[in-house]
Amino acid sequence: MLKYITRRILFLLPILIGVSFIVFTLLYLTPGDPARMVLGDQATEEAVREFRDKEGLNDPFLVQYGRYVYKAVQGDIGRSYMTRLPVAREIMNAFPYTVKLALFSMLIAIVLGIPFGIISAIKQYSLFDSVMMIFAMVGLSMPVFWLGILLILFFSVHLRWLPSSGFNTIAAMILPSVTLAAQSIAIVTRMTRSSMLEVVRQDYIRTVRAKGQKESVVIWRHALGNALIPVVTVVGLQFGNLLGGAVLTESIFSIPGVGRLMVDAIKMRDYPLVQGGVLFIAVAFSLVNLLVDLLYAWLDPRIKAQYR
Amino acid sequence: MEDRKLILDIQDLSIQYRVEGGTVHAVENLNLALGYGENLGFVGETGAGKTTTALGIMRLVPDPPGRITSGRILFEGADLLRKTEDEMRSIRGGKIAMIFQDPMTSLNPVMTVDKQIAEMVLLHNDVTERQALDRAVEMLELVGIRSERARDYPHQFSGGMKQRVVIAIALACNPILLIADEPTTALDVTIQAQVLELMRELRRKINTSLVMITHDLGIVAEMCDKVAIMYAGRVVEYATTEALYNRPVHPYTEGLFNSIPDIDRDEEELKVIQGLMPDPTNLPSGCPFHPRCPYAVESCSREAPGMVEIEPGHLVACPVRTEHRLNSVGWKGGAGR
């Protein structure tokens, strides 16, 4: 198992090289001059030239990339063009917000989605099931910005219960987390339901019933233990995505998270920040995936046997 | 039937599945009796309703779409269909245990086998978890699986070994009635022999009554005292194994025996029963076998045949053949009962 984890972490190296190369290439090919963006319209030709020289933007592509990798290996991923702060610190300032937002909304999605899915499955075609499936469809198809604005209108403007921006108090966390969770609740509910429906028809569930086991134990212990495996995949992917920043939600609720940081960096052609941000997201995503795979092994001994 | 005490007496049992496009009459007015300590072979083609009957006895017919529409299932004299779910739960596993058809899918893949056996023990005995696990290991050894393997998961076992685990679960609480649903169908021939031998041995040890569902007449001959032949949800012939094998009467039974290939005879083609199993949502009128029956007469398509006792304990649902037989043999004892 330890060997497996070590190997998976070593796999990060080629992933990082690949990701950095692709991002570097894309930025190189993107129109727009960072010097002009940073220095503003009134900047003199001289100042622009000086900036480009200093940041090495006039060097050939491979030289630029080589220099970046050489420094990155030593732990230096550059400074933001805009703020002149180290990229690592910029990201670390934004990351806690994103993690909190992602964790809270996934928590909501799991706590609500899994029970909803189970009840929907064991009461298939009931009123509850139909209502849940309608909610799930609405949740899936509702745009995040629309839901966010609606919630702000109702809970912040009309009822004045919750703040409409920021993310520093529990009260301020509620609206953004719910907004971001809406889709995940829908996905987790549907996934749990269909997975449960498949599992309760399995022969081994009949075997448990034939033992004289209580229906509640049949469902919550035997069926759920098997039905959760695909749900974990979905939750993991969702969580990995959210760690990359929830741009819309962060913008609506003015949360200074990774998503907003990245969008601003791209707009300003802040190359080092974009590079660093993407690399960081790639690492976070890979680690979450590893975590999901380990969770798999814990849930399913058949998968554990394959991890060597 | 007679005075002997019956462990199981099924009377006029009907089970239906409602599906798109109609109602499947999976079991139709089925009558069956089994004495204490007896072995009953339950034979028929796929789809004849054997498994549904077994699930009916366990009250595990999936509902929806299935439903027991009429009849009584007397188990030790009490009707199982009138039991509450709680009463039923203590009977399932405790008094009636079932071995399922496909060992590959009958065990929970994410639970070690000792826990799956111990679960059964805990449900029906007043023991601690530790004692239940000890009992599980004991059961595994009884079915020939070494105790070191107790903490293994189902995927670490072969098909035959999984079936042994399934048998160990079924027998863990010394049931007085064991229903084995094609326990060997999914296994290869050498493992089949082992599993059958194991079941025989275990039966000797704990004297359980057995309902053996199969479509293998060879297994019935080896294991069973009585045989019920089932066709399209009905029992068409019921007799002692000895009587049935020596004097099959119902045309369907006869067809089954004829279709067994004979190694000594040089035959080009397998003798088969003409035609196919009828569409279960649209059974033929009268006797459901009449479209395939070489002896069918006009009245067969009109009247559903009742069971006639042509010799003590030998019941047949075929007026044409029983009449013929009664006339030729001259035995009329049970016909009027």
Side-chain angles (χ1 to χ4, degrees):
Chain A
M1 203 65 180
L2 205 65
K3 225 165 120 190
Y4 174 79
I5 297 173
T6 319
R7 211 181 49 198
R8 281 289 298 267
I9 289 174
L10 285 180
F11 264 138
L12 272 177
L13 273 177
I15 291 174
L16 289 183
I17 292 172
V19 167
S20 66
F21 186 77
I22 291 170
V23 176
F24 211 93
T25 313
L26 285 175
L27 287 176
Y28 187 82
L29 297 175
T30 315
D33 184 352
R36 289 243 174 253
M37 303 295 265
V38 172
L39 301 173
D41 293 339
Q42 268 86 47
T44 58
E45 276 305 312
E46 184 130 355
V48 170
R49 208 177 309 125
E50 197 188 330
F51 184 91
R52 290 188 64 89
D53 272 346
K54 200 181 79 191
E55 298 295 341
L57 292 170
N58 292 322
D59 296 335
F61 170 71
L62 281 178
V63 173
Q64 284 190 43
Y65 181 66
R67 186 166 50 219
Y68 182 79
V69 172
Y70 180 73
K71 279 189 170 169
V73 171
Q74 296 168 0
D76 177 14
I77 48 173
R79 281 169 182 272
S80 160
Y81 291 163
M82 294 297 299
T83 60
R84 307 312 302 176
L85 285 172
V87 166
R89 183 166 342 139
E90 287 275 11
I91 294 169
M92 277 312 156
N93 283 340
F95 192 55
Y97 291 101
T98 297
V99 171
K100 264 196 260 174
L101 183 60
L103 274 179
F104 274 119
S105 56
M106 272 340 277
L107 204 68
I108 295 173
I110 291 167
V111 167
L112 294 182
I114 291 178
F116 284 171
I118 292 170
I119 299 170
S120 264
I122 53 183
K123 302 221 182 292
Q124 197 188 3
Y125 305 132
S126 66
L127 183 67
F128 181 89
D129 183 30
S130 312
V131 171
M132 267 349 280
M133 284 306 99
I134 291 169
F135 266 120
M137 201 164 73
V138 172
L140 268 180
S141 33
M142 196 160 41
V144 170
F145 59 87
W146 186 74
L147 175 66
I149 290 168
L150 224 63
L151 288 177
I152 289 176
L153 273 179
F154 191 67
F155 288 101
S156 306
V157 179
H158 185 69
L159 293 174
R160 298 188 176 281
W161 283 357
L162 299 165
S164 67
S165 66
F167 206 65
N168 291 317
T169 60
I170 294 283
M173 288 177 195
I174 295 175
L175 285 186
S177 303
V178 170
T179 305
L180 191 57
Q183 250 179 32
S184 305
I185 297 172
I187 294 172
V188 172
T189 302
R190 291 184 63 115
M191 196 69 214
T192 308
R193 177 179 182 268
S194 66
S195 176
M196 236 5 221
L197 280 177
E198 197 188 308
V199 168
V200 293
R201 295 202 178 98
Q202 296 294 316
D203 288 349
Y204 54 82
I205 296 300
R206 194 175 57 184
T207 307
V208 183
R209 291 202 174 111
K211 288 178 187 172
Q213 185 57 275
K214 278 197 221 92
E215 195 56 23
S216 57
V217 181
V218 173
I219 296 295
W220 289 93
R221 180 147 173 229
H222 291 273
L224 192 60
N226 284 282
L228 273 187
I229 295 165
V231 177
V232 167
T233 318
V234 171
V235 169
L237 281 176
Q238 289 275 308
F239 188 65
N241 271 331
L242 293 189
L243 280 187
V247 177
L248 289 173
T249 311
E250 285 174 8
S251 302
I252 296 165
F253 294 96
S254 322
I255 301 165
V258 174
R260 273 188 64 195
L261 184 71
M262 291 299 292
V263 170
D264 289 345
I266 293 167
K267 270 195 275 188
M268 298 308 293
R269 299 290 182 277
D270 196 341
Y271 288 175
L273 193 51
V274 177
Q275 272 289 357
V278 173
L279 282 185
F280 181 80
I281 290 168
V283 173
F285 194 85
S286 304
L287 289 181
V288 169
N289 261 330
L290 175 60
L291 214 64
V292 168
D293 285 346
L294 294 179
L295 206 57
Y296 254 17
W298 180 67
L299 281 171
D300 191 342
R302 287 166 297 183
I303 294 172
K304 192 173 183 174
Q306 293 164 13
Y307 288 177
R308 288 186 212 290
Chain B
M1 235 173 280
E2 282 110 70
D3 304 315
R4 71 200 163 97
K5 273 196 83 184
L6 296 174
I7 185 168
L8 185 69
D9 186 4
I10 304 178
Q11 299 170 354
D12 293 321
L13 181 70
S14 293
I15 302 176
Q16 300 178 348
Y17 290 104
R18 256 151 305 174
V19 294
E20 250 174 276
T23 306
V24 176
H25 300 267
V27 176
E28 192 75 356
N29 294 325
L30 180 127
N31 288 281
L32 211 58
L34 182 68
Y36 280 91
E38 273 185 345
N39 278 0
L40 172 74
F42 207 28
V43 181
E45 284 168 80
T46 307
K50 310 181 299 282
T51 302
T52 303
T53 308
L55 290 176
I57 298 169
M58 299 288 281
R59 281 230 338 242
L60 284 175
V61 178
D63 176 15
R67 175 155 292 177
I68 298 174
T69 50
S70 70
R72 300 203 296 169
I73 301 175
L74 301 177
F75 174 71
E76 297 197 290
D79 189 356
L80 291 181
L81 299 182
R82 291 176 181 279
K83 301 256 184 212
T84 64
E85 185 54 32
D86 276 350
E87 288 170 330
M88 214 43 226
R89 283 203 297 109
S90 76
I91 291 173
R92 271 182 218 132
K95 291 193 159 178
I96 310 178
M98 189 158 171
I99 298 171
F100 290 99
Q101 188 166 0
D102 188 353
M104 308 310 278
T105 56
S106 291
L107 294 169
N108 185 343
V110 303
M111 200 185 246
T112 55
V113 295
D114 61 339
K115 280 198 182 149
Q116 298 194 46
I117 302 172
E119 182 180 26
M120 178 81 144
V121 179
L122 277 170
L123 279 167
H124 301 287
N125 298 280
D126 190 18
V127 293
T128 64
E129 195 156 342
R130 186 66 255 156
Q131 289 167 318
L133 285 168
D134 289 344
R135 169 80 178 149
V137 172
E138 217 174 274
M139 284 311 295
L140 282 172
E141 280 174 345
L142 185 70
V143 297
I145 293 174
R146 283 175 294 122
S147 54
E148 308 87 276
R149 309 275 330 250
R151 304 300 315 273
D152 283 354
Y153 289 93
H155 74 273
Q156 291 163 293
F157 292 95
S158 68
M161 285 177 100
K162 277 186 212 169
Q163 191 62 299
R164 284 159 186 265
V165 175
V166 172
I167 292 173
I169 292 174
L171 297 178
C173 297
N174 298 328
I176 54 176
L177 174 62
L178 180 65
I179 304 172
D181 186 1
E182 310 206 16
T184 58
T185 306
L187 307 176
D188 66 57
V189 183
T190 45
I191 310 295
Q192 268 186 26
Q194 285 175 29
V195 168
L196 288 179
E197 184 49 43
L198 175 72
M199 287 181 61
R200 240 193 313 252
E201 203 176 298
L202 295 172
R203 258 182 45 77
R204 269 199 296 276
K205 278 185 195 152
I206 55 179
N207 194 38
T208 303
S209 305
L210 174 73
V211 174
M212 171 77 108
I213 297 174
T214 180
H215 48 234
D216 186 334
L217 287 163
I219 290 177
V220 174
E222 257 180 81
M223 301 279 295
C224 302
D225 317 314
K226 296 262 177 82
V227 194
I229 306 283
M230 203 165 177
Y231 183 79
R234 295 156 175 83
V235 171
V236 294
E237 185 158 4
Y238 172 76
T240 62
T241 309
E242 198 251 330
L244 190 104
Y245 280 62
N246 292 322
R247 301 180 292 282
V249 175
H250 195 280
Y252 179 64
T253 315
E254 200 179 80
L256 284 182
F257 279 108
N258 282 339
S259 59
I260 300 173
D262 188 338
I263 200 165
D264 294 327
R265 240 177 303 161
D266 189 20
E267 280 166 315
E268 286 286 312
E269 263 180 66
L270 217 52
K271 272 195 204 131
V272 295
I273 302 172
Q274 291 302 315
L276 295 170
M277 274 286 279
D279 171 6
T281 59
N282 185 21
L283 289 177
S285 59
C287 170
F289 189 61
H290 84 262
R292 303 172 71 182
C293 180
Y295 304 97
V297 295
E298 191 264 332
S299 64
C300 289
S301 62
R302 274 187 282 112
E303 284 157 44
M307 290 289 256
V308 173
E309 192 166 15
I310 57 160
E311 55 182 315
H314 191 161
L315 288 92
V316 181
C318 178
V320 178
R321 294 285 282 168
T322 47
E323 208 173 298
H324 158 77
R325 191 180 169 81
L326 291 176
N327 290 341
S328 63
V329 176
W331 192 87
K332 295 187 177 42
R337 295 225 285 240

